[in-house]
Amino acid sequence: MSMKITDPARFGRVAVAMGGSSAEREVSLDSGRNVLEALRARGVDAHAIDGIPALLDALRTDRFARVFNILHGQHGGGEDGVLQGALEALDVPYTGSGVLGSALSMDKTRSKRVWQSLGLPTPKFVALPRGADVHAAAKQIGFPLIVKPACEGSSVGVTRVFEEAQLDQAVELAAKYPGDLLMETLIEGDELTVSILGREVLPSIHIVPKGAFYDYNAKYIAEDTLYLCPGLEGDAEAELRTLSLQAFDALGCAGWGRVDVMRDRAGRNWLLEVNTAPGMTSHSLVPKAAKAAGIDYQELCWRVLETSFREGM
């Protein structure tokens, strides 16, 4: 549970951690600039810090009271539990999920295993360690399927594969990124995403890309992607929001985040992944969902910062 804060001075000096050295550096810098501006506009004493080493140096010398983490991705991206562990060790409060929730969400394969064990729906999949027989795995899954790095965000390295002839190229692309790969059933249907803020589940967003699917270009560059919010109506929307919070809780996530879901032609929901430090750019989904719930961008940043106050802190 986060606290309701009314006086910006209660937050103390805030380090806004952005940039970093992951594949998602540029998006994180964009998110970070927006967050910094919003917090300052509300009177928060916020300062930009680029990357984890610089942040740890600053915490030792400059005495920040807390960290607004808007680093994205793994390996220096601050979304994989490593930064969270360092901050826990230094006893510095921070926004978003803790060590376990961050690490587990970053690893899509292990996220899916947790959901499966709880009977939550996620597409059929095969984990592909380096050098695995991808053609045998594809026979197990059946076409169409998706090949992606198990631990990257922002649709980095993802390919939809409709026939065997496309498989090797898909694997080659995904293998450019560190870590194992993941192959899963391609769910044909609608792409939905559900944002969580504190314990509030915001209206879902149905993403309608102009092209075949929502890739990095559609996310950050294209201007013709449609966002319908709420994405569903009535019972279907309520069911999706309930499932999303269950998925978030199952991975030990906290504070805020975004759950990505596919809804097939029969109206069944399938969990894909959880983002524990979602984008906060002008194109990003959490700000769109918050707006639909009557929460403007500055208020959203304020509320995310409130999640750095945990029970017992």
Side-chain angles (χ1 to χ4, degrees):
M1 261 323 286
S2 53
M3 290 166 61
K4 281 306 295 165
I5 306 289
T6 50
D7 176 7
R10 282 289 309 280
F11 292 121
R13 268 168 70 79
V14 177
V16 180
M18 60 175 88
S21 52
S22 82
E24 299 176 73
R25 172 177 171 78
E26 291 308 317
V27 179
S28 172
L29 284 171
D30 193 0
S31 292
R33 283 189 287 264
N34 287 308
V35 168
L36 188 69
E37 194 182 315
L39 292 177
R40 284 179 168 170
R42 292 279 299 259
V44 176
D45 182 15
H47 304 264
I49 300 198
D50 187 344
I52 296 173
L55 177 64
L56 297 180
D57 284 346
L59 291 174
R60 279 192 285 270
T61 55
D62 297 342
R63 293 280 166 240
F64 284 94
R66 64 199 62 253
V67 173
F68 190 120
N69 177 28
I70 197 66
L71 287 158
H72 304 319
Q74 60 164 358
H75 301 303
E79 205 175 349
D80 57 4
V82 173
L83 172 61
Q84 289 72 14
L87 295 176
E88 294 280 345
L90 294 172
D91 206 18
V92 176
Y94 54 91
T95 55
S97 291
V99 177
L100 180 67
S102 302
L104 205 42
S105 300
M106 183 48 66
D107 188 324
K108 297 182 179 80
T109 308
R110 286 179 174 82
S111 297
K112 288 165 76 75
R113 287 193 178 125
V114 170
W115 291 331
Q116 272 186 334
S117 72
L118 295 170
L120 298 176
T122 188
K124 183 177 169 182
F125 71 101
V126 175
L128 297 175
R130 298 274 154 165
D133 184 340
V134 293
H135 291 271
K139 284 193 178 64
Q140 210 179 318
I141 295 284
F143 295 97
L145 54 82
I146 280 202
V147 175
K148 56 186 167 186
C151 300
E152 291 290 340
S154 286
S155 308
V156 170
V158 179
T159 310
R160 292 152 67 103
V161 181
F162 294 92
E163 56 188 358
E164 186 113 21
Q166 302 169 319
L167 195 57
D168 290 336
Q169 204 179 348
V171 169
E172 203 179 308
L173 173 68
K176 288 188 172 132
Y177 298 91
D180 294 340
L181 308 186
L182 171 65
M183 182 184 286
E184 68 183 1
T185 302
L186 168 62
I187 304 292
E188 310 237 29
D190 295 334
E191 186 153 352
L192 293 145
T193 193
V194 179
S195 303
I196 292 166
L197 181 58
R199 296 303 292 164
E200 186 182 344
V201 186
L202 302 178
S204 74
I205 295 177
H206 173 197
I207 301 153
V208 189
K210 195 73 176 205
F213 95 122
Y214 191 53
D215 57 10
Y216 186 92
N217 183 67
K219 274 184 192 182
Y220 301 112
I221 298 151
E223 296 290 347
D224 55 7
T225 304
L226 285 178
Y227 301 94
L228 311 177
C229 185
L232 298 169
E233 319 247 286
D235 290 349
E237 173 74 7
E239 196 180 298
L240 175 62
R241 290 196 207 181
T242 300
L243 174 65
S244 298
L245 190 58
Q246 286 174 323
F248 188 76
D249 289 344
L251 300 184
C253 297
W256 71 302
R258 213 188 69 225
V259 183
D260 294 341
V261 180
M262 286 300 297
R263 183 178 174 81
D264 69 19
R265 304 274 181 241
R268 286 179 304 237
N269 296 316
W270 299 91
L271 296 164
L272 297 181
E273 64 174 294
V274 174
N275 298 279
T276 53
M280 289 285 277
T281 71
S282 58
H283 277 59
S284 295
L285 299 163
V286 177
K288 285 180 165 63
K291 192 176 174 188
I295 303 166
D296 69 25
Y297 188 86
Q298 286 183 10
E299 174 67 13
L300 170 61
C301 292
W302 181 279
R303 288 215 208 164
V304 170
L305 188 54
E306 285 179 334
T307 72
S308 64
F309 286 90
R310 307 265 202 280
E311 284 300 303
M313 274 195 171

